[in-house]
C-alpha cells in the first residue's frame, strides 16, 4: 500500500527531529502494510517552509539509511504546499516538489477558511499541467460548515485526500463522522496518514481502513488505495459522481463540536 502524505524527513518541519525517529517511523510504516511513502514536508506554511534542495538532500540521506537498514520501503519526494498565489511560478521553477515526480501536487488550506482565491489557484494549476489534491479537507472548519465550498473546488478539477487519523477518531468523533460523510458522498479520492511521529501524530493507516470496513465502505477502500497507486504512476484518478450532502440536525450537532 502507498501513503501519499507523510512528514518523515527529520529536522525539517514539525515531523521527526532525528534520523533515529525517522527510521522508527519507517519501520512502523512497514508494520502498517505500507510499501511506498511520499514525503510531504511543509512548504510555504507560516511556520515551516522546507526548501526544495534541502528536501532533496534529506531524502537522499534517508534513502541511504533505508538501504543500510534493509527496510522494504520506497521513499518518494513531495511537498505539502500551503496555498499561495506564487505556487504555479514556484512549481514551474522547480522550487516546490510535486508528488513522486508526477503532475499531482498536495495543497494545504488554512484550518479555518477557504481563501477566496482558492478556485483561481486550482484553475491556474490545471492550466499549467498540475493536478491539485487538497489535503485533509475534513479538518477545515469552513468546509465542515459548508461542504459546497469543497464541492465547487472538486468541480473545478481538484481532488482530495482524507487523513487516516480522522477516520480512526484521532481528531475526535465530529471529524470522524464528517470524514465518513464526505467519503459516502464521493468527495474524497485519496488516502494518507499525515504522520508526523509515533506518539501524538502516528500513522493510523490500518485503523482508518478498518473503520471504513466496519462502515461497509469496501468499494471506497479499493478506490482510495487504487488512486494512491495512480498518483505514484502519474495516471488519472478515479472520480465518482458527487452525491448531495444533506445538512440535518446531526450535521449541525457535529459542527458545534468541531
Amino acid at each position: 500500500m502507498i501513503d501519499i502524505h507523510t512528514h518523515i524527513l527529520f529536522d525539517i518541519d514539525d515531523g521527526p527531529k532525528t534520523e533515529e525517529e525517522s527510521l522508527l517511523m519507517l519501520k512502523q510504516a512497514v508494520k502498517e502494510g505500507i510499501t511506498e511513502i511520499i514525503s510531504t514536508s511543509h512548504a510555504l506554511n507560516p511556520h515551516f517552509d522546507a526548501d526544495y534542495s534541502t528536501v532533496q538532500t534529506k531524502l537522499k540521506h534517508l534513502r541511504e539509511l533505508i538501504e543500510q537498514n534493509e527496510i522494504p520501503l520506497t521513499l518518494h519526494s513531495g511537498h505539502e504546499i500551503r496555498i499561495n498565489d506564487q505556487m504555479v511560478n514556484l512549481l514551474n521553477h522547480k522550487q516546490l516538489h510535486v508528488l513522486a515526480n508526477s503532475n499531482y501536487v498536495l495543497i494545504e488550506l488554512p484550518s479555518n477558511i477557504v481563501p477566496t482565491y482558492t478556485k483561481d489557484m486550482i484553475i491556474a494549476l490545471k492550466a499549467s499541467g498540475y493536478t491539485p489534491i487538497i489535503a485533509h479537507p475534513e479538518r477545515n472548519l469552513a468546509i465542515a460548515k459548508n461542504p459546497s465550498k469543497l464541492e465547487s473546488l472538486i468541480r473545478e478539477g481538484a481532488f482530495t485526500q482524507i487523513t487516516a487519523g480522522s477516520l480512526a477518531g484521532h481528531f475526535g468523533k465530529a471529524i470522524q463522522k464528517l470524514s465518513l460523510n464526505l467519503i459516502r458522498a464521493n468527495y474524497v479520492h485519496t488516502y494518507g496518514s499525515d504522520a508526523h511521529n509515533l506518539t501524538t501524530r502516528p500513522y493510523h493507516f490500518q485503523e482508518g481502513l478498518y473503520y471504513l470496513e466496519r462502515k461497509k465502505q469496501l468499494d471506497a477502500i479499493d478506490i482510495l488505495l487504487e488512486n494512491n497507486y495512480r498518483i505514484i504512476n502519474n495516471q488519472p484518478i478515479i472520480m465518482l459522481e458527487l452525491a448531495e450532502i444533506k445538512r440535518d440536525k446531526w450535521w449541525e450537532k457535529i459542527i458545534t463540536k468541531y
Side-chain angles (χ1 to χ4, degrees):
M1 292 185 290
I2 298 165
D3 188 349
I4 71 161
H5 185 174
T6 65
H7 297 265
I8 197 74
L9 300 184
F10 61 91
D11 195 28
I12 197 169
D13 61 3
D14 55 344
K17 299 307 176 188
T18 65
E19 65 178 50
E20 289 78 13
E21 289 181 45
S22 288
L23 280 172
L24 287 173
M25 287 184 68
L26 290 165
K27 291 175 181 178
Q28 180 60 37
V30 173
K31 292 179 181 179
E32 293 267 348
I34 298 167
T35 57
E36 299 185 55
I37 279 180
I38 304 181
S39 169
T40 51
S41 303
H42 288 291
L44 306 182
N45 184 285
H47 305 291
F48 302 100
D49 186 13
D51 177 77
Y52 185 97
S53 59
T54 303
V55 167
Q56 286 182 308
T57 301
K58 294 275 188 179
L59 276 170
K60 182 176 183 293
H61 180 61
L62 198 54
R63 284 170 177 148
E64 291 170 352
L65 291 174
I66 287 171
E67 185 174 354
Q68 291 169 12
N69 287 269
E70 299 182 339
I71 301 172
L73 191 148
T74 302
L75 185 61
H76 300 278
S77 58
H79 259 140
E80 179 183 13
I81 308 166
R82 175 62 69 94
I83 191 165
N84 184 292
D85 60 6
Q86 292 300 308
M87 279 192 306
V88 174
N89 181 55
L90 293 171
L91 283 163
N92 286 340
H93 287 86
K94 303 296 183 184
Q95 295 181 50
L96 292 172
H97 285 278
V98 296
L99 297 179
N101 297 312
S102 70
N103 293 326
Y104 292 99
V105 292
L106 187 66
I107 306 301
E108 179 189 37
L109 301 175
S111 299
N112 295 322
I113 64 169
V114 176
T116 54
Y117 62 88
T118 301
K119 188 178 292 187
D120 290 338
M121 289 310 306
I122 287 172
I123 293 170
L125 285 164
K126 294 287 290 183
S128 298
Y130 303 105
T131 301
I133 298 174
I134 299 171
H136 45 69
E138 76 282 2
R139 286 155 50 197
N140 178 281
L141 182 58
I143 288 171
K145 288 181 175 179
N146 185 5
S148 66
K149 289 181 180 291
L150 182 60
E151 179 186 1
S152 66
L153 301 180
I154 294 171
R155 293 195 184 281
E156 288 295 346
F159 294 99
T160 66
Q161 169 259 310
I162 202 83
T163 301
S166 297
L167 291 166
H170 182 75
F171 299 101
K173 289 292 185 183
I175 290 178
Q176 185 182 42
K177 290 180 179 180
L178 174 59
S179 299
L180 181 61
N181 240 28
L182 293 175
I183 285 176
R184 283 173 169 165
N186 298 327
Y187 280 43
V188 177
H189 311 96
T190 67
Y191 184 70
S193 70
D194 194 8
H196 284 62
N197 53 54
L198 294 180
T199 53
T200 59
R201 293 289 297 278
Y203 289 99
H204 291 300
F205 204 84
Q206 288 291 346
E207 193 176 352
L209 296 177
Y210 290 151
Y211 174 75
L212 288 178
E213 186 176 345
R214 292 197 303 273
K215 296 299 181 179
K216 304 187 187 307
Q217 297 297 308
L218 300 182
D219 288 344
I221 292 172
D222 290 342
I223 290 172
L224 294 176
L225 296 179
E226 170 64 21
N227 280 340
N228 283 9
Y229 174 86
R230 289 177 176 232
I231 289 167
I232 292 285
N233 291 279
N234 202 26
Q235 297 171 343
I237 281 178
I238 299 169
M239 180 178 178
L240 301 180
E241 184 178 351
L242 300 181
E244 181 183 357
I245 295 182
K246 296 180 180 179
R247 293 184 55 130
D248 52 17
K249 290 182 179 180
W250 169 83
W251 190 275
E252 298 299 334
K253 183 178 180 180
I254 71 165
I255 295 306
T256 60
K257 294 182 178 179
Y258 202 92

